[in-house]
Amino acid sequence: ALRLAFDLAGPQPAAHYLPADAAVFADAVSVCEIDAGEGDIAAAVSALCRPLQSGFRLAEGGLFKLVLIRAADTDRLLMLAHHAIGDVVSWHVLVADLAEAVGQALRGDTVRLHGKSSSYQAWGDYLDACAKNGTFRAELDYWQAQRDPARLAPVALDAEVTAELGHWRQAPLALDAQATADLLESAAAYPGADINALLLAALYRGLKRWNGGRGYCVLLQSHGRHADATALDLSQTVGWFTQNHPLLLDFDAAGIDRDIAAVGATLAGVPNRGLGYGVLRFLAREPALQPAGAEPFQVLFNYLGRFDSMVRDAAPLTFLAEDIGPISHPRLPSSVPMGFQGGVYSGRLSMNLEFDARQFSDERMRRLAACVRDELLAIVDFSREFQAEASASDIT
């Protein structure tokens, strides 16, 4: 996938692989010197990285770069990849491989990395065959029902506004380390539920408090490496596997445990873990799934998992939290006006409610963030009490 380039001139975008010795890869690895005093290094790093962030050209390829930045305080390695060739799981693979190579080199060992898993091309061929063979055709009615506007609570939106990432703002919400640990552990107390079900239950309950109504469509984003029905091993494969599919949450609030059970059952009812939706809509181009006018209100949901594992895998390297410039073009369109995304960093849950500022005010979104956080803490408290009662019952 790191050798991909994209043809955007045809009726449909198409990707092709460049040869490994293509001239564009001559700049894949570079070294830069920063001549700045201790107090100016952060600004100099930012100034260096910003044009690199915006310098990718899909049609030319060379969409992955390593830049060694030498500075007076410490050296830095900037790793850049266009999202079209890599997802968050790919970053875990790349960081772990880089750290292993550095560790072996520091010990004077020959660099030997893990063996390759199945190719990105093999995964693309599988999806293409599914589209042509109608593998997921029987799911069509299910996916139409997930997007039924008649079942959704009304959310006032300006239909003339096209969501663009340059207008997105954030309303952060976070839990401390103890509440995060309790939340992660409490998922096991609910049969058929996981951390995604708990987060979605809190989001749904928060939306109901914030806006009223009972039907909300979540655009559920996941890693997409659902190769259960194939012989493919994608564990070490780099590429953009990310998948989105709509998930309709539509039930009356009936208590935390019942709401979590309802969300868990809804997630369990998704056919083939959502893989068929993208195949039907974007590859098979099923007419029933093509938008006719404005999309119904949806909230993007993306739980990215625990980043602490990536930090551990990076040793002997460490991460630096520095400004390297915007990671997306401000005119990049978004399919949703709102998102709920984040993960666990340094043992703490850190989520962001992201929103188009032309559709929602900062004050209104801070109120929603407070509602969702309250619901998360309510789940933590309820789970503590539930587990305490279960323990007391075991003793007696």
Side-chain angles (χ1 to χ4, degrees), residues 45-57 63 65 67 78-83 91 322-329:
V45 168
S46 179
L48 173 67
C49 295
R50 285 174 179 268
L52 294 171
Q53 288 272 30
S54 59
F56 287 131
R57 299 293 180 267
L63 303 177
K65 294 183 184 297
V67 183
L78 175 68
M79 302 177 68
L80 286 178
H82 196 288
H83 207 349
W91 278 117
E322 294 183 320
D323 176 20
I324 59 172
I327 61 173
S328 58
H329 194 286

Side-chain angles (χ1 to χ4, degrees), residues 184-205:
L184 293 171
E185 292 173 7
S186 64
Y190 302 96
D194 59 8
I195 183 60
N196 289 285
L198 271 59
L199 291 170
L200 283 167
L203 176 62
Y204 181 68
R205 289 166 62 89

Side-chain angles (χ1 to χ4, degrees), residues 37 44 73 104 118 124 162 168 196 202 236 263 278 384 392:
D73 58 347
Q104 291 172 356
S118 301
T162 300
W168 275 47
N196 289 285
Q236 294 291 311
V263 173
R384 287 170 178 163

Side-chain angles (χ1 to χ4, degrees), residues 206-274:
L207 285 167
K208 286 169 64 65
R209 284 178 52 192
W210 172 73
N211 186 70
R214 57 169 268 174
Y216 289 93
C217 186
V218 174
L219 190 62
L220 191 64
Q221 190 167 100
S222 70
H223 59 72
R225 297 170 185 245
H226 304 315
D228 312 50
T230 76
L232 299 178
D233 172 16
L234 304 176
S235 61
Q236 294 291 311
T237 308
V238 171
W240 187 19
F241 292 83
T242 305
Q243 74 174 37
N244 297 330
H245 68 78
L247 182 78
L248 178 62
L249 299 177
D250 183 15
F251 53 86
D252 289 321
I256 287 175
D257 53 343
R258 293 184 181 181
D259 287 356
I260 291 173
V263 173
T266 302
L267 288 169
V270 176
N272 295 298
R273 294 197 279 181

Side-chain angles (χ1 to χ4, degrees), residues 294-308:
E295 292 270 15
F297 173 76
Q298 298 179 104
V299 182
L300 177 69
F301 174 85
N302 187 16
Y303 173 63
L304 296 167
R306 305 187 196 190
F307 277 80
D308 297 352

Side-chain angles (χ1 to χ4, degrees), residues 278-293:
V279 171
L280 290 169
R281 178 170 177 179
F282 299 107
L283 294 180
R285 302 194 66 78
E286 285 287 347
L289 297 183
Q290 305 310 311

Side-chain angles (χ1 to χ4, degrees), residues 58-248:
L58 286 169
E60 297 174 6
L63 303 177
F64 178 73
K65 294 183 184 297
L66 295 174
V67 183
L68 179 62
I69 304 173
R70 297 197 177 277
D73 58 347
T74 188
D75 291 344
R76 295 156 172 80
L77 182 65
L78 175 68
M79 302 177 68
L80 286 178
H82 196 288
H83 207 349
I85 64 165
D87 53 17
V88 68
V89 177
S90 298
W91 278 117
H92 280 265
V93 173
L94 291 168
V95 167
D97 274 359
L98 176 66
E100 187 172 355
V102 169
Q104 291 172 356
L106 289 175
R107 294 190 299 270
D109 298 336
T110 301
V111 173
R112 292 188 176 89
L113 300 180
H114 296 290
K116 292 176 62 177
S117 54
S118 301
S119 72
Y120 191 53
Q121 180 66 57
W123 179 245
D125 290 342
Y126 168 71
L127 296 181
D128 185 59
C130 287
K132 292 176 178 175
N133 298 336
T135 303
F136 303 114
R137 189 73 171 71
E139 300 177 7
L140 192 55
D141 288 345
Y142 172 88
W143 294 119
Q144 285 182 271
Q146 299 303 300
R147 296 156 47 88
D148 182 2
R151 299 178 62 185
L152 300 180
V155 178
L157 295 174
D158 184 347
E160 301 300 318
V161 170
T162 300
E164 294 177 345
L165 294 187
H167 294 281
W168 275 47
R169 304 292 181 266
Q170 294 182 343
L173 63 96
L175 300 183
D176 62 29
Q178 186 58 60
T180 298
D182 290 345
L183 182 71
L184 293 171
E185 292 173 7
S186 64
Y190 302 96
D194 59 8
I195 183 60
N196 289 285
L198 271 59
L199 291 170
L200 283 167
L203 176 62
Y204 181 68
R205 289 166 62 89
L207 285 167
K208 286 169 64 65
R209 284 178 52 192
W210 172 73
N211 186 70
R214 57 169 268 174
Y216 289 93
C217 186
V218 174
L219 190 62
L220 191 64
Q221 190 167 100
S222 70
H223 59 72
R225 297 170 185 245
H226 304 315
D228 312 50
T230 76
L232 299 178
D233 172 16
L234 304 176
S235 61
Q236 294 291 311
T237 308
V238 171
W240 187 19
F241 292 83
T242 305
Q243 74 174 37
N244 297 330
H245 68 78
L247 182 78
L248 178 62

